[in-house]
Amino acid sequence: MYQQSYQPHQQGQAQHQPILTDEDLAYTVLADLKRVVNEYATAATESSCQQVRSLFTNLLNSTLQMQGQLFKTMEQNNMYSTSSPALRQEIDKQLKQNQQTAQKTDQFLQQLSLGGRMQQPYQQAQAPYMNQQQNNPYSPNSQYQQQSGQSGQHHHGPNPYYM
Amino acid sequence: MLQALTGKELEYLVDSISNEDLLIKQNAVMAESATNMQLRQLGQQMIQTHRQHVQMLLQSISQHQQLAPLQPQQ
């Protein structure tokens, strides 16, 4: 795990002996980015001025993006070991249980005549699930979002800091 | 539609500036002392983004300056 980053400075590339390894340096930044992401989310929820709220929302997105980029870089350089993959049977079990939960909630809503028309995406989503990472099956509310115009717009909206 | 800043909003803005400032410095250390070129470059890029963030936060505080009451409000 350490091989890649330790070799270079033993070969005399660095002018001085660094105190922290590359992993430590990157991890320190990554940990703080994660902390700041949380803080921006809290700040946004607690803002009453719309302008301040959208500032925090933009900063949240921008910080999330940096965190993702740094994580990817660390992963590519074997500096970050993600947890082992979830087993198929566990996924099957969780999917089944939670589909049932969602169905029960649908029934509950229908009893109250609040069901509306939803295309039950969790059933269609089974097969192509892996190819649709962008399309979270649980955000089919995009119709509603377009109507209300406010929520969810920051993903597509004009955000100059969102490289 | 600009409203006067609440005390809480001001505190979040100020805390955020400290956070961004710290991140600039951490990235500067990474950009200088990492041996991996990808990390060094990413550190340099992130410094610029965090500097923009600081400017945005400062700008937001200054935009609200004129709206702030001079006396404590009920």
Side-chain angles (χ1 to χ4, degrees):
Chain A
M1 184 177 169
Y2 287 91
Q3 288 161 354
Q4 281 188 329
S5 52
Y6 266 122
Q7 275 169 358
H9 51 82
Q10 282 171 351
Q11 292 162 0
Q13 256 193 11
Q15 303 91 329
H16 53 271
Q17 194 72 23
I19 300 167
L20 294 176
T21 62
D22 281 6
E23 280 95 330
D24 290 340
L25 290 167
Y27 192 84
T28 309
V29 177
L30 186 78
D32 240 13
L33 285 172
K34 285 160 83 168
R35 182 179 64 81
V36 171
V37 162
N38 281 313
E39 258 189 69
Y40 278 139
T42 311
T45 61
E46 307 217 349
S47 300
S48 52
C49 174
Q50 187 57 43
Q51 197 244 20
V52 175
R53 185 187 163 95
S54 66
L55 170 65
F56 284 132
T57 311
N58 288 340
L59 292 172
L60 168 66
N61 275 325
S62 170
T63 310
L64 256 180
Q65 207 168 36
M66 282 189 279
Q67 185 271 333
Q69 229 177 338
L70 181 56
F71 170 75
K72 270 285 156 229
T73 306
M74 290 173 74
E75 202 186 29
Q76 280 163 12
N77 289 279
N78 298 318
M79 292 175 184
Y80 204 105
S81 53
T82 44
S83 68
S84 53
L87 294 178
R88 177 62 193 261
Q89 61 196 39
E90 183 62 16
I91 293 180
D92 291 349
K93 189 182 109 189
Q94 291 294 347
L95 187 60
K96 204 173 163 210
Q97 277 179 8
N98 286 281
Q99 280 174 343
Q100 281 169 3
T101 305
Q103 268 167 9
K104 277 183 196 158
T105 303
D106 283 352
Q107 285 163 11
F108 165 75
L109 288 172
Q110 268 154 25
Q111 280 167 16
L112 298 170
S113 308
L114 293 169
R117 271 176 290 122
M118 205 177 72
Q119 314 99 334
Q120 307 207 329
Y122 43 84
Q123 282 171 350
Q124 298 161 3
Q126 276 181 357
Y129 195 71
M130 298 299 282
N131 305 328
Q132 292 189 339
Q133 284 174 332
Q134 302 293 330
N135 287 336
N136 182 340
Y138 257 119
S139 55
N141 304 326
S142 49
Q143 302 158 340
Y144 302 91
Q145 286 178 353
Q146 277 163 10
Q147 281 167 13
S148 71
Q150 290 235 325
S151 49
Q153 275 227 346
H154 46 267
H155 288 297
H156 327 285
N159 180 357
Y161 317 99
Y162 203 54
M163 292 154 291
Chain B
M1 208 56 69
L2 232 51
Q3 289 172 14
L5 282 181
T6 63
K8 212 175 204 178
E9 285 169 335
L10 182 59
E11 277 181 41
Y12 274 119
L13 289 167
V14 169
D15 282 355
S16 299
I17 293 174
S18 318
N19 283 333
E20 295 291 346
D21 189 69
L22 182 63
L23 276 162
I24 290 173
K25 289 166 184 165
Q26 284 176 327
N27 274 300
V29 173
M30 185 169 78
E32 280 298 302
S33 50
T35 54
N36 181 302
M37 279 316 283
Q38 255 184 306
L39 284 181
R40 293 178 79 112
Q41 280 168 6
L42 194 54
Q44 285 166 17
Q45 282 171 31
M46 288 198 285
I47 287 172
Q48 299 314 318
T49 310
H50 290 302
R51 287 176 70 195
Q52 282 175 5
H53 287 186
V54 171
Q55 290 310 311
M56 289 160 69
L57 289 158
L58 287 171
Q59 199 191 357
S60 179
I61 297 177
S62 76
Q63 279 171 348
H64 287 86
Q65 223 170 2
Q66 299 303 319
L67 295 167
L70 295 172
Q71 303 284 328
Q73 311 276 301
Q74 280 300 329

